[in-house]
Amino acid sequence: MIESSKDAGEGAGTGLDRRSFLGLTGISLAAFSLGIAAPGDAVAVAAGPVPADPFRLGVASGDPEPTSVALWTRLAPEPLAADGHGGMPRRPVDVHYEVAEDERFTRVVRRGRAVATPELAHAVHPEVHGLRPGREYFYRFRAGNQISPVGRTRTAPGPRENPDRLTFAMASCQAWYHGHFTAYKHLAADDVDMVFFLGDYIYEYAINANNLWREGVQVDRIHDAETQTLEQYRLRYALFKTDPHLLAAHAAAPWVSTWDDHEVQNNYADVYSQYGISVEDFERRRSVAYRAYYENLPLRATSLPRGPDMKLYRRMKWGRLAEFSVLDTRQYRDNFPTDSTAGGEHTDPRRSILGAEQERWLTDGLRRSDATWNVLAQQVVMAQIDRDTGPGKTFSMDIWDGFSANRDRLLGAVQRYGVDNLLVLTGDIHRHVAAELKANFNDPASATIGTELVVGSIGSDGDGAPTDAYTELWLSNQHVKFYDGRRGYVRCTMTPEELTSEYRVVDYIRKDDKAPVSTIATFVTEAGRPGLVRAS
């Protein structure tokens, strides 16, 4: 176990090899935060008072299953303490939790204990089992005599159940320094069953006068540096979690989270930085970034990072209504090609955005699925987007266009196996987009075989506007049916008969968090008829 006086991030430049990093985040560090006992391990919890107000980073739940859910909190009475430990003493602390059927906790159904350790920044991830399927629950934590805010969560329906309705929200890209998280204020009030977060929970860039557009705040100079160490990544999560509306959205419903690039570094691909960092050094950076991600999100033990590796792709079901495949298009992808024109290196059939193992897992899951809706929750745009509005063709290499053969294999499998009602949930581009997935993107008359909903950003790029410099580019692709450049989220209502998707926006976020929310577009997708029908 790591000495509590020296974290992995503090040793990032001390010559630790990859094998050493693999030991930094193993079960010996995390067993007790999960509320389980590691074989042969014991933990001694030192006596001593818990600092006042340790729950300032809020509470959260995630990855609901029919009889269980993952809970999360991180003790941090001083969230922005420079050492990344949130003002906590360097000793383990008992954290107790309760789960109840009512908000007043008169019908408690589960109690348990986890241990918050300094090695994991005093974060805990207890997995609560023995719950009833398809039920609403409330939860809270206690550390010493300090009681946390109450969170609300929900279990998934049983695997053979046929729920008549599911509501969920999509969110992504929350650059705290670009504006207030007003969209989360409205999302938290929308009473959804679940939230899908699709990447860029933090940004690694230095924060200073050049990009601090959020009015009414001051930022210490310690944040004016690109995140590279464990302490810096921890501090960046804490800074973003100072927004009360993010905490409210976490407490309102269980989240299913995946990452994109900025949780580590812009546009990275597997172990390859695009900024001249060696593979060895970038693996060290990826190790501490992945560890901080785990520490700050409501994830299960299956996502426990081991050095520079962290399995984030996973599958969950909502009865027979929907099967969700959560993808990781960042950790296993091939490096960037050099030619972005039609017929370039990006069309090489050996290239993959998913990696061979994840690609097989996804295809096999789609083949076996008996769900009405088959949903891919992932990061970057899947639809082909020609960025040349003239006669030529140019593509972005960071999205599925940079891995067109991988996309062809996936959509080919969807057709070959008769996969019903393919729905792709996407983030990344800071704009709202709705698109149809085609059997042949170069033939507008070809069959529509799926639907892609792209959610705009919560905060990234500031206020935004209905139209911008990219509107014409996106809409020149005939399978793109909608584009809007404002901040917001997407609210979806799914039934066995149809999916209703509502694009929700706020007009400004820079000056304050008072902007009202409005629904600017509503689309309906009928089960058995992939595509988009504009309802409003």
Side-chain angles (χ1 to χ4, degrees), residues 391-408:
K393 288 184 179 295
T394 303
F395 304 102
S396 167
M397 296 297 96
D398 190 50
I399 64 177
W400 283 78
D401 280 338
F403 309 83
S404 56
N406 193 164
R407 179 177 59 205
D408 291 344

Side-chain angles (χ1 to χ4, degrees), residues 200-487:
D200 294 343
Y201 195 96
I202 63 165
Y203 284 75
E204 79 281 18
Y205 302 127
I207 302 173
N208 51 47
N210 295 323
N211 61 8
L212 184 57
W213 302 345
R214 174 187 280 236
E215 297 181 19
V217 299
Q218 292 183 331
V219 176
D220 191 278
R221 289 180 59 187
I222 195 171
H223 302 286
D224 189 8
E226 183 173 336
T227 55
Q228 299 183 53
T229 68
L230 178 59
E231 295 77 18
Q232 289 174 319
Y233 280 108
R234 285 173 171 171
L235 194 58
R236 191 58 54 92
Y237 281 97
L239 178 66
F240 282 33
K241 286 176 180 285
T242 60
D243 189 293
H245 306 310
L246 172 58
L247 303 192
H250 268 302
W255 281 39
V256 178
S257 303
T258 191
W259 53 32
D260 194 16
D261 52 343
H262 289 288
E263 288 86 354
V264 182
Q265 186 189 56
N266 181 49
N267 286 353
Y268 83 94
D270 192 4
V271 296
Y272 302 105
S273 167
Q274 306 308 309
Y275 298 92
I277 302 174
S278 71
V279 169
E280 181 180 11
D281 286 342
F282 191 70
E283 278 194 317
R284 302 179 199 279
R285 179 165 173 175
R286 205 175 87 166
S287 297
V288 297
Y290 283 7
R291 181 171 168 185
Y293 182 84
Y294 174 80
E295 290 173 350
N296 285 282
L297 272 297
L299 297 167
R300 291 181 178 269
T302 50
S303 294
L304 183 67
R306 298 188 180 276
D309 304 314
M310 180 171 168
K311 186 177 180 182
L312 201 57
Y313 67 86
R314 58 209 190 272
R315 185 172 290 120
M316 56 174 289
K317 297 193 68 173
W318 202 263
R320 291 184 170 177
L321 178 63
E323 183 168 283
F324 296 92
S325 297
V326 183
L327 305 185
D328 178 353
T329 63
R330 191 58 61 178
Q331 184 176 184
Y332 312 105
R333 62 164 60 192
D334 287 305
N335 205 357
F336 280 74
T338 56
D339 185 357
S340 62
T341 60
E345 182 187 349
H346 63 98
T347 64
D348 187 331
R350 295 170 296 182
R351 287 179 55 74
S352 177
I353 196 172
L354 298 174
E357 182 178 339
Q358 183 180 193
E359 189 174 337
R360 285 192 298 269
W361 167 87
L362 175 59
T363 301
D364 186 60
L366 291 172
R367 178 176 60 85
R368 295 172 181 270
S369 175
D370 61 356
T372 299
W373 298 91
N374 289 281
V375 186
L376 310 184
Q378 54 101 54
Q379 298 79 5
V380 295
V381 172
M382 183 175 289
Q384 178 177 289
I385 303 298
D386 179 7
R387 294 174 175 269
D388 187 336
T389 56
K393 288 184 179 295
T394 303
F395 304 102
S396 167
M397 296 297 96
D398 190 50
I399 64 177
W400 283 78
D401 280 338
F403 309 83
S404 56
N406 193 164
R407 179 177 59 205
D408 291 344
R409 290 192 296 272
L410 174 58
L411 296 183
V414 168
Q415 297 174 84
R416 183 165 63 254
Y417 298 135
V419 176
D420 292 331
N421 303 314
L422 177 68
L423 174 65
V424 178
L425 311 180
T426 301
D428 180 54
I429 63 171
H430 309 173
R431 276 82 177 164
H432 289 304
V433 168
E436 295 178 340
L437 299 175
K438 309 294 285 187
N440 181 356
F441 285 106
N442 296 316
D443 177 9
S446 68
T448 297
I449 60 175
T451 304
E452 182 169 16
L453 307 177
V454 185
V455 64
S457 68
I458 293 291
S460 306
D461 282 348
D463 290 342
T467 60
D468 59 26
Y470 298 100
T471 303
E472 180 184 0
L473 182 159
W474 282 83
L475 294 179
S476 68
N477 294 268
Q478 293 186 39
H479 48 277
V480 175
K481 305 301 180 183
F482 173 71
Y483 179 98
D484 189 278
R486 284 171 284 187
R487 310 287 75 84

Side-chain angles (χ1 to χ4, degrees), residues 46-112:
V50 175
D53 201 11
F55 296 105
R56 293 179 62 187
L57 296 179
V59 300
S61 68
D63 287 11
E65 294 181 356
T67 61
S68 72
V69 68
L71 304 182
W72 173 91
T73 193
R74 179 183 159 204
L75 306 182
E78 300 174 26
L80 300 183
D83 64 359
H85 283 278
M88 286 295 294
R90 303 293 183 93
R91 57 176 172 80
V93 175
D94 265 347
V95 179
H96 298 267
Y97 59 87
E98 291 183 318
V99 178
E101 294 178 334
D102 67 306
E103 197 168 4
R104 298 180 62 188
F105 289 81
T106 63
R107 300 191 303 276
V108 174
V109 297
R110 286 291 181 273
R111 289 187 173 94

Side-chain angles (χ1 to χ4, degrees), residues 487-530:
R487 310 287 75 84
Y489 60 100
V490 179
R491 181 176 64 191
C492 296
T493 303
M494 180 181 283
T495 72
E497 294 76 32
E498 65 183 25
L499 171 77
T500 302
S501 308
E502 301 169 273
Y503 285 80
R504 308 265 284 165
V505 304
V506 293
D507 286 332
Y508 61 88
I509 63 169
R510 291 177 62 163
K511 69 175 182 178
D512 59 39
D513 62 354
K514 308 301 183 185
V517 67
S518 59
T519 300
I520 53 167
T522 302
F523 291 92
V524 174
T525 302
E526 295 182 24
R529 300 183 64 181

